[in-house]
Amino acid sequence: MNLLKVTHYLSNPRGLFLFFLVMGAVVFANGLNHPFMIDDHAFFDEAGRDPKNLWINFIPDKSKVLNMEGSPTEVYYRPFALIIPKLMYWLLHGNAFGMHLFNLLAFVCAVWLLARWLGRLSGDRWFGILAGVFVLVHPLNGIIVNFKTAGIFVGRVVCLIYAADFIIRGPRLVYQLYAVALFLAALFFHESAFILPPCVLCLSVLIQKKTWKEALRQGAPLWITAILYFLLRLQWASLSENIFNKFGGYHMSLSEALASWFSLQAWYLSKLIIPTGISIFILKPVVYGYAGVWIIGGMAFWCLTICLLWKLFKNNPWVWIGVSWLFLGLMMMGVGSLFHGQELMIEPHWMVFSSIGFFIILAQSFIFLFSRFKLAAGICFAVVLAGWCTTAWSYNALWNDELRYSQFWLKQSPTFTPINMYMARAYFAKGQLDLAATYYKRALTGQRPDYLMYSNLGSIALLQGRFEEARMYLEKALVIEPKAKNAMNVLGVVYVKQGDLIQAEKYFRLSVAANPFDTTAQRNLDFFLRIKSSKRDASSERVILER
């Protein structure tokens, strides 16, 4: 009788949503009040969070177009991924708890939608519920709630699910238009949305039983959209410059590239099963030695896995949907890993959508086990759920302190020097300026981002009263990036402290011109001009210092 009540309760959409909401609240109970950290600071600077300035995020290569600070070719073009967190920051007045709560609610909504969608397509609501539970509790997905700017990952997933649903409904023009619009929205969240057309192709063939030709015709609007957007991105916020042109820098043969891809697969698949040692992203070295061993091992793994699944689930199309989606995600990860340019980089959130394939396989496996070995399957399910939940709690606790998280992250990727910048900022926030300076120096790489380190080193030297040293660092920053607004702003403060008001005014004005959307430098300039007109001693006044 109790089981019937539970079944009836979970068959109700509101009951199912409440179930996932309670489960999400339990899993992330200790993860809703973390401070702003890592990329949060850059997202929510004063210029970025002003709602009047959000429109500039739709401009590709905006630094070049608007003649502002930044690389002429932007690394990313993800307007929705920038606009939505900034809008939420503005609406919630920068409340950390509110932003984490928003992320949790968005995640729960996405899981609820996924569970209902899978249940409707398969005709088995328990399959959808099981898959949703696994997605919600797995520690790899914990970043969605723990990292304030990561809540937008679920926006991509929701758009992809709805786009897939509309395109497989039929050839009606309105459905195709909805699908294309949602697919574009997903691409505006993240480039990993390119995975949708082949994923829909698999759905059409395996679930709808269409021929390959019919499936390609059905998904044609998505394929055309993907090709046109890809060509656009070769020109703007260039994928060529940021990914494809970097391949030559690795100096690896085809066999070494294949072996390296298998090594990335091994890392990611191992984290799906035993989720320890997970950070925002990981750097892995290119496999130059024993390439043949990696290739043979990788191919043997997939052959054995496919044979086992074929023996158990030959006639279960959902298992093969899971395999195909997961494998497509691993292929995408192989391409994306070239972004670093020297080592192979993995950001687990790239796989938020394609990893649903793994959870589909897992859900179908448990349904199979429950149908034959109820007690053993129940014990196994409880162990998996308890293990993932406790691991998620430990990660939640780790996210509570930027310094502790950065130290953990550095252990996972010791060769990724920019982590030192986050450690430096954490020490700066604690008032440990000497340690902050030490880690900013460790973050220097001899490349363009060094101007940020020199700018921060200049700020520290200024705060410690070493004005000549501050000026030296800030001038180094401006040699690398002549439009570095923060360096010019702080350099203006240095000249105020040294009594050179002409140079101070010059750099305050240059800072305002470098980014007219940032009001910090404008306030500094206005404050300076008021002091100057009143003929007070500007060097003794408190001047706003942006860091």
Side-chain angles (χ1 to χ4, degrees):
M1 187 67 179
N2 289 335
L3 182 60
L4 287 175
K5 287 183 178 179
V6 171
T7 303
H8 175 73
Y9 185 77
L10 294 181
S11 65
N12 183 291
R14 283 177 292 184
L16 183 60
F17 181 82
L18 186 59
F19 167 75
F20 283 129
L21 182 60
V22 171
M23 179 169 284
V26 170
V27 173
F28 296 102
N30 64 331
L32 297 179
N33 204 31
H34 302 330
F36 290 88
M37 54 191 286
I38 308 176
D39 287 346
D40 290 340
H41 302 292
F43 262 68
F44 304 123
D45 65 6
E46 182 162 352
R49 66 177 180 254
D50 188 338
K52 296 193 297 293
N53 298 333
L54 294 180
W55 63 272
I56 68 173
N57 294 291
F58 283 108
I59 302 175
D61 295 334
K62 57 181 174 289
S63 299
K64 178 181 179 180
V65 173
L66 300 176
N67 195 28
M68 292 165 50
E69 172 187 351
S71 174
T73 300
E74 286 188 340
V75 175
Y76 308 117
Y77 181 67
R78 302 168 185 169
F80 287 172
L82 295 168
I83 289 170
I84 292 177
K86 292 175 180 180
L87 190 59
M88 291 310 302
Y89 184 98
W90 177 71
L91 290 172
L92 296 169
H93 304 288
N95 182 272
F97 174 79
M99 295 200 69
H100 285 299
L101 187 61
F102 168 75
N103 287 358
L104 175 60
L105 291 173
F107 189 24
V108 168
C109 287
V111 169
W112 174 73
L113 172 65
L114 173 67
R116 296 195 67 210
W117 185 61
L118 292 176
R120 176 168 57 82
L121 288 181
S122 65
D124 182 354
R125 84 168 66 94
W126 286 107
F127 161 54
I129 292 171
L130 272 178
V133 166
F134 291 138
V135 170
L136 185 61
V137 304
H138 198 284
L140 265 175
N141 293 329
I143 187 176
I144 293 171
V145 176
N146 285 314
F147 194 20
K148 291 176 190 63
T149 54
I152 45 83
F153 297 157
V154 298
R156 179 195 354 156
V157 172
V158 169
C159 289
L160 291 175
I161 290 173
Y162 271 118
D165 189 59
F166 277 119
I167 208 70
I168 64 177
R169 285 187 187 186
R172 287 183 59 185
L173 179 61
V174 66
Y175 291 158
Q176 293 178 340
L177 291 175
Y178 283 150
V180 167
L182 288 162
F183 181 36
L184 279 173
L187 287 167
F188 279 11
F189 277 110
H190 199 277
E191 296 83 357
S192 60
F194 275 117
I195 200 174
L196 181 64
C199 285
V200 169
L201 181 69
C202 296
L203 274 176
S204 299
V205 171
L206 293 170
I207 304 303
Q208 295 185 309
K209 306 302 180 184
K210 293 182 179 293
T211 64
W212 288 100
K213 185 176 181 180
E214 291 171 336
L216 283 169
R217 188 184 300 117
Q218 178 175 260
L222 299 180
W223 288 101
I224 293 170
T225 302
I227 291 168
L228 292 176
Y229 186 76
F230 179 78
L231 293 174
L232 178 69
R233 286 296 305 277
L234 291 179
Q235 178 66 31
W236 297 94
S238 175
L239 291 173
S240 292
E241 184 170 328
N242 291 316
I243 294 181
F244 302 123
N245 291 352
K246 293 181 179 179
F247 184 81
Y250 285 95
H251 306 293
M252 55 182 172
S253 64
L254 183 60
S255 61
E256 289 167 341
L258 189 58
S260 299
W261 179 48
F262 279 124
S263 76
L264 296 180
Q265 291 184 42
W267 182 88
Y268 185 78
L269 293 173
S270 69
K271 301 309 174 187
L272 282 173
I273 299 167
I274 305 174
T276 58
I278 300 169
S279 56
I280 296 178
F281 58 77
I282 292 287
L283 289 184
K284 301 288 288 182
V286 175
V287 176
Y288 289 116
Y290 301 103
V293 175
W294 275 103
I295 294 171
I296 293 170
M299 294 178 68
F301 166 80
W302 279 107
C303 287
L304 289 172
T305 301
I306 296 299
C307 288
L308 177 61
L309 293 175
W310 184 262
K311 183 176 178 62
L312 295 174
F313 303 107
K314 178 181 178 180
N315 298 316
N316 186 332
W318 281 102
V319 169
W320 303 108
I321 285 290
V323 171
S324 60
W325 282 16
L326 181 60
F327 193 77
L328 286 167
L330 293 171
M331 292 176 65
M332 177 195 67
M333 182 180 69
V335 176
S337 67
L338 301 176
F339 175 79
H340 184 258
Q342 295 175 329
E343 295 186 87
L344 303 174
M345 187 174 77
I346 310 172
E347 296 189 35
H349 65 261
W350 292 342
M351 306 281 285
V352 167
F353 183 77
S354 59
S355 66
I356 293 171
F358 171 78
F359 300 118
I360 285 175
I361 298 170
L362 194 60
Q364 288 292 336
S365 299
F366 270 106
I367 289 171
F368 173 82
L369 290 173
F370 274 117
S371 68
R372 288 163 175 77
F373 317 102
K374 287 185 173 59
L375 180 60
I379 293 172
C380 186
F381 179 76
V383 168
V384 169
L385 213 60
W388 286 357
C389 283
T390 53
T391 304
W393 288 333
S394 69
Y395 281 123
N396 296 344
L398 191 63
W399 277 94
N400 195 45
D401 182 83
E402 183 168 15
L403 181 58
R404 186 166 68 240
Y405 188 88
S406 297
Q407 290 168 338
F408 163 78
W409 188 8
L410 196 59
K411 288 180 181 178
Q412 311 307 315
S413 299
T415 58
F416 188 60
T417 52
I419 299 174
N420 290 292
M421 179 183 69
Y422 300 122
M423 294 184 68
R425 190 163 53 203
Y427 279 120
F428 189 100
K430 293 176 182 291
Q432 296 175 270
L433 300 185
D434 290 333
L435 276 172
T438 298
Y439 278 95
Y440 276 128
K441 290 174 183 176
R442 290 182 185 178
L444 294 169
T445 61
Q447 299 178 5
R448 187 178 176 280
D450 282 357
Y451 85 89
L452 297 170
M453 311 310 141
Y454 286 127
S455 182
N456 286 311
L457 285 167
S459 294
I460 291 172
L462 170 61
L463 289 172
Q464 293 179 327
R466 302 195 306 273
F467 302 137
E468 280 302 313
E469 183 180 338
R471 189 161 64 86
M472 177 195 71
Y473 282 130
L474 296 166
E475 287 173 349
K476 282 186 176 182
L478 291 171
V479 168
I480 301 171
E481 172 52 81
K483 293 186 176 70
K485 60 179 177 59
N486 184 52
M488 289 187 283
N489 185 38
V490 179
L491 190 54
V493 178
V494 171
Y495 280 118
V496 168
K497 295 297 183 182
Q498 291 184 320
D500 191 340
L501 303 188
I502 295 175
Q503 286 291 91
E505 183 174 349
K506 169 189 170 183
Y507 280 100
F508 284 140
R509 292 189 182 279
L510 285 173
S511 182
V512 171
N515 191 339
F517 304 101
D518 191 337
T519 60
T520 304
Q522 183 64 59
R523 289 204 310 271
N524 268 11
L525 177 61
D526 293 343
F527 184 63
F528 168 79
L529 292 176
R530 286 199 304 271
I531 295 171
K532 182 180 176 183
S533 63
S534 66
K535 298 182 179 180
R536 300 203 309 267
D537 181 8
S539 65
S540 65
E541 297 286 344
R542 181 182 66 83
V543 182
I544 301 167
L545 174 60
E546 178 194 356
R547 291 180 292 275

